[in-house]
Amino acid sequence: MTDTPDDAPDSNPHENPPDTPPKPPALTPRTVLTRFHQAMRDKSADDLADLYAVDAVHEFPFSTPNFPPRFEGREAVRAGYRAAWGASPVRVADIADVTVHETADPAVIVAEQVVVGELPSREGTFTVPGLLVLRVEGGLITRCRDYMDGLGVARALGTPPS
């Protein structure tokens, strides 16, 4: 039996057990954006979805042919991007002209960007301008508003909407 002084603080073994390393700090919105862009370059639906909270919402406010208006939940993001990227011959060569705007809310950033894409069936690249509004809480995306030029994507693929 160990003697504990009366003024010793109470310890809760569930707060930070001595053999467990402390949790790393939550990712910042800018770091999440950088990882988001890398997942796009890699066409990794898993890496992208892992950036989202379980109940996150990813919206596409601009109509995009053959794409839903939103994904609700991390697993919907994973399944949706796995299907879209798996079916698409497009490769993201670069994400250029990225300008990040801070907002009054430190959890929200706005990123202007131009996605540079390549198609194996033709030479050269095409560009798709876009805007992302990310809300990141606890290091995970809780809401994404993805203003992608869906008509530009359709034109680049040679499938303009009817």
Side-chain angles (χ1 to χ4, degrees), residues 46-59:
D46 288 329
D47 289 349
L48 183 69
D50 289 347
L51 297 172
Y52 285 76
V54 171
D55 58 349
V57 174
H58 185 123
E59 298 176 289

Side-chain angles (χ1 to χ4, degrees), residues 33-149:
L33 177 65
T34 298
R35 291 183 182 186
F36 189 106
H37 286 159
Q38 189 59 51
M40 289 175 63
R41 286 184 196 93
D42 296 340
K43 287 179 82 169
S44 174
D46 288 329
D47 289 349
L48 183 69
D50 289 347
L51 297 172
Y52 285 76
V54 171
D55 58 349
V57 174
H58 185 123
E59 298 176 289
F60 302 94
F62 293 156
S63 175
T64 302
N66 303 315
F67 221 72
R70 68 193 285 141
F71 296 129
E72 294 188 34
R74 176 189 295 149
E75 295 313 311
V77 169
R78 188 183 317 276
Y81 273 97
R82 182 174 285 135
W85 287 342
S88 174
V90 172
R91 185 181 82 75
V92 175
D94 193 18
I95 300 163
D97 301 328
V98 177
T99 302
V100 178
H101 302 276
E102 304 286 337
T103 69
D105 183 341
V108 177
I109 60 171
V110 178
E112 297 177 69
Q113 61 193 25
V114 177
V115 176
V116 180
E118 296 175 332
L119 280 169
S121 61
R122 69 176 202 219
E123 287 189 36
T125 60
F126 63 92
T127 58
V128 179
L131 185 84
L132 284 174
V133 181
L134 297 178
R135 171 172 286 284
V136 177
E137 297 175 283
L140 295 171
I141 298 169
T142 57
R143 185 174 190 119
C144 175
R145 293 183 55 87
D146 190 341
Y147 295 88
M148 170 180 59
D149 180 5

